[in-house]
Amino acid sequence: MASDKSSPPLPEASATGGLAAVLLANRPALLGFLRSHGAGDAAEDLFQDLWLKIELAPVGPVAQPLSYLYRAANNLMLDRYRATRQAVKRERDWSATADSSVEPPAERGLIAREQLLQAEAALAGLGTRASTLFRRHRLDGVPQRELAAEFGISLSTVESDLRHAYRTMIELRERFALEEPARPPAGDSVIAQRTP
């Protein structure tokens, strides 16, 4: 931005209203700055963000408002760059994790069905009432008070039965975690690894 020697210096911006006026007066130059520093099509969005920041943030008197605005615009560019870089990294990491499953879907399905049968057996071991209360509360979303009224039991009995059911499911989940085999190298069968 070239400055004309004959033009009077910009007055000190004493409040956000003054900064907003300087911002709007220098809109083309700030948009050019943003575009030249890599904002491209997002320059207008960044300018809008800068305007909102100036309007909403409590700012005291600024001795050099134009320099302040250029610095703020640069900081917004850096923030956007970092956010974009983090989003790309997060997406790449997620894709790498999601694509790195070693077990074929059929084997995972078999293991899941086996674990479901074990969970059903564990719930059945608690008794019909506790098992039914757990299913109705967790799967059907029926509130505990309604279950107490439906079964003709106290709320504390419902809570006690649910506690036992939750404890059983947590223990079962921990057992599953201990039994889970180490992931085999690609191409090796999980079933083949389980047989001694």
Side-chain angles (χ1 to χ4, degrees):
M1 163 154 175
S3 112
D4 186 10
K5 299 268 185 193
S6 63
S7 65
L10 290 172
E12 180 178 300
S14 61
T16 57
L19 271 177
V22 173
L23 177 73
L24 294 175
N26 291 283
R27 183 177 188 276
L30 284 164
L31 285 172
F33 172 80
L34 291 169
R35 285 189 186 102
S36 70
H37 284 82
D41 294 336
E44 289 285 344
D45 292 338
L46 284 167
F47 184 84
Q48 181 73 20
D49 291 347
L50 180 59
W51 181 77
L52 285 172
K53 186 175 182 179
I54 297 303
E55 284 296 314
L56 299 176
V59 178
V62 177
Q64 297 179 0
L66 194 55
S67 296
Y68 178 86
L69 292 172
Y70 275 102
R71 173 64 71 164
N74 190 53
N75 289 344
L76 284 174
M77 287 278 304
L78 289 173
D79 290 346
R80 183 165 287 202
Y81 171 74
R82 288 179 187 134
T84 303
R85 189 177 63 196
Q86 276 302 109
V88 167
K89 181 183 181 310
R90 187 173 40 253
E91 183 63 32
R92 189 177 10 163
D93 290 348
W94 173 253
S95 296
T97 302
D99 294 340
S100 69
S101 69
V102 177
E103 295 178 20
E107 288 182 37
R108 281 197 311 262
L110 286 172
I111 291 170
R113 278 191 290 280
E114 181 182 307
Q115 290 177 344
L116 177 61
L117 289 173
Q118 291 177 23
E120 287 176 348
L123 281 175
L126 294 173
T128 307
R129 186 182 70 199
S131 174
T132 305
L133 285 172
F134 179 78
R135 284 189 177 95
R136 299 267 294 135
H137 181 64
R138 285 297 291 181
L139 302 178
D140 299 337
V142 179
Q144 293 179 13
R145 288 192 189 281
E146 286 182 30
L147 290 172
E150 181 181 322
F151 282 81
I153 56 177
S154 69
L155 181 59
S156 62
T157 303
V158 171
E159 291 170 348
S160 176
D161 283 351
L162 288 175
R163 252 192 322 274
H164 291 297
Y166 283 126
R167 187 176 308 119
T168 301
M169 291 295 104
I170 290 169
E171 289 169 358
L172 188 62
R173 185 177 62 191
E174 289 170 354
R175 196 173 83 218
F176 290 157
L178 291 175
E179 291 175 356
E180 187 174 297
R183 292 205 178 261
D188 289 351
S189 170
V190 172
I191 295 173
Q193 269 194 342
R194 288 186 180 170
T195 55

